[in-house]
Amino acid sequence: MSIKVDHILKQYGDQKAVDHISFEVGAGEIVGFLGPNGAGKSTTMKMITGFLRPDEGRIEVCGIPVEGEAIATKKKIGYLPELNPLYHEMYVREYLGLMAGLHKITAPAKRIEAVIQLTGLTPEAHKEIGQLSKGYKQRVGLAAALLHDPEVLILDEPTTGLDPNQIVEIREVIRNLGKNKTILFSTHILQEVEALCERVIVVNKGKIVADDSIENLKKQQSSSSIRVGFREEVSKEALNSIAGVVGVLNLGATAWELETTDPDALSKELMGFALQHNVNIVSLHTQARRLEDIFRDLTGEAI
């Protein structure tokens, strides 16, 4: 496993910021790390990268224990923290040269040009960092994290504050990097998770409340809904009597949303209902569960 987290605890006074959580991330996975503010995401990421020490538990990166082998594990990790630390008065290549020196990279000029191209920095690489847009500053941070060609990337909200175009661009960079690197990233943009990840880990109040594929999470949630439109008026009481209906919401004069645990079975029941009551269905479709709905169910709040 590229990342192995085993029952780690981080406590501040009486508050357990991270409460004995465990998970693994395999080579080549892109895993979304989700949770509301204060859930323990950034604290966990800082412990994986060695910036914080857990009070209990064990973390390994590429089979190397973080505690006792901090330098060895840092060589395996590229880290973009939530607050991207940059020297705004330095030029892009100058800053990357400084980072390359810290990593003791051989042939630094060649490697710098490679990461500039990889992260799409070429059009702005001649500028001072302070002159760059937020999107390009994030690219500089990502380029710095990639300089030593790490096996594992830890990205803490890499698209925070970016405009929609910049988000799409950074998302594409992450997708391309995921072809040969292990990536754990946190975000509040759930469309980003669905676009990039097959698996998500959801934390809440320091504990893991879900660790599964997005597809399985959607299947496991207790209810879905069907939106149905009739030509004639139908009463709420009549709809509540249909087998499989666990909730009814009126969307208009003849339009309804029916909550159910089995949308396929309910669709068949609705056809029978229409024949029995001599009414016509003019529209019928399943309302897919959104990741945002699942997140709210798991954590009790919107992301």
Side-chain angles (χ1 to χ4, degrees):
M1 287 292 167
S2 294
I3 301 172
K4 184 175 181 180
V5 173
D6 187 15
H7 291 92
I8 60 170
L9 168 72
K10 188 64 182 178
Q11 191 161 341
Y12 299 101
D14 295 332
Q15 181 185 1
K16 293 180 179 179
V18 177
D19 190 0
H20 295 98
I21 69 172
S22 300
F23 63 87
E24 297 181 356
V25 182
E29 278 194 279
I30 303 180
V31 176
F33 198 41
L34 309 181
N37 290 330
K41 304 186 300 299
S42 293
T43 301
T44 300
M45 288 178 152
K46 288 175 182 176
M47 287 190 283
I48 293 171
T49 57
F51 284 89
L52 287 177
R53 293 182 62 182
D55 297 323
E56 295 179 16
R58 177 183 173 87
I59 302 171
E60 292 181 3
V61 176
C62 299
I64 305 170
V66 173
E67 188 167 358
E69 298 285 350
I71 299 299
T73 53
K74 282 182 172 65
K75 290 179 180 179
K76 300 287 186 180
I77 298 171
Y79 178 40
L80 180 63
E82 181 180 1
L83 300 175
N84 186 5
L86 298 169
Y87 295 110
H88 287 192
E89 70 279 7
M90 297 183 76
Y91 289 89
V92 172
R93 286 187 175 87
E94 181 185 13
Y95 173 74
L96 294 176
L98 172 64
M99 295 296 106
L102 293 174
H103 285 294
K104 299 180 180 179
I105 293 171
T106 57
K110 183 178 179 180
R111 182 58 187 163
I112 287 167
E113 292 310 312
V115 296
I116 283 174
Q117 184 174 0
L118 181 64
T119 55
L121 270 170
T122 303
E124 304 291 294
H126 62 286
K127 292 184 178 180
E128 288 185 5
I129 293 172
Q131 296 175 328
L132 302 179
S133 68
K134 178 70 183 292
Y136 275 104
K137 286 174 183 172
Q138 287 295 83
R139 289 171 190 252
V140 173
L142 191 54
L146 291 168
L147 268 173
H148 58 299
D149 196 21
E151 297 175 40
V152 175
L153 283 176
I154 307 292
L155 309 177
D156 194 355
E157 300 193 23
T159 58
T160 297
L162 305 188
D163 66 37
N165 290 331
Q166 293 167 339
I167 288 171
V168 170
E169 292 166 358
I170 294 294
R171 183 189 299 168
E172 190 60 29
V173 172
I174 294 171
R175 181 183 289 109
N176 289 332
L177 291 170
K179 294 175 182 177
N180 52 24
K181 297 187 184 300
T182 300
I183 300 177
L184 179 69
F185 79 98
S186 69
T187 181
H188 283 87
I189 304 172
L190 295 178
Q191 299 95 321
E192 197 166 275
V193 176
E194 293 193 275
L196 291 172
C197 306
E198 291 186 0
R199 174 185 166 205
V200 294
I201 298 170
V202 184
V203 292
N204 188 41
K205 298 179 181 177
K207 293 180 178 290
I208 291 177
V209 294
D211 180 356
D212 211 334
S213 69
I214 295 174
E215 182 181 357
N216 282 343
L217 283 175
K218 288 181 177 180
K219 289 179 180 177
Q220 290 168 11
Q221 295 308 300
S222 60
S223 65
S224 298
S225 62
I226 286 181
R227 290 192 174 184
V228 57
F230 298 95
R231 182 170 296 155
E232 301 81 11
E233 289 189 5
V234 177
S235 71
K236 185 176 182 177
E237 291 74 20
L239 293 172
N240 265 318
S241 70
I242 300 173
V245 172
V246 296
V248 177
L249 176 66
N250 184 226
L251 301 177
T254 58
W256 300 86
E257 184 169 320
L258 309 179
E259 191 175 353
T260 179
T261 57
D262 189 343
D264 291 335
L266 181 55
S267 294
K268 295 176 183 177
E269 291 289 338
L270 278 167
M271 296 302 177
F273 172 87
L275 288 171
Q276 182 182 352
H277 291 81
N278 196 28
V279 294
N280 295 282
I281 295 175
V282 294
S283 63
L284 177 68
H285 67 272
T286 300
Q287 188 74 7
R289 291 282 288 171
R290 298 174 303 165
L291 189 56
E292 183 176 349
D293 300 324
I294 296 168
F295 182 92
R296 188 180 292 108
D297 290 344
L298 291 168
T299 66
E301 57 183 282
I303 196 165

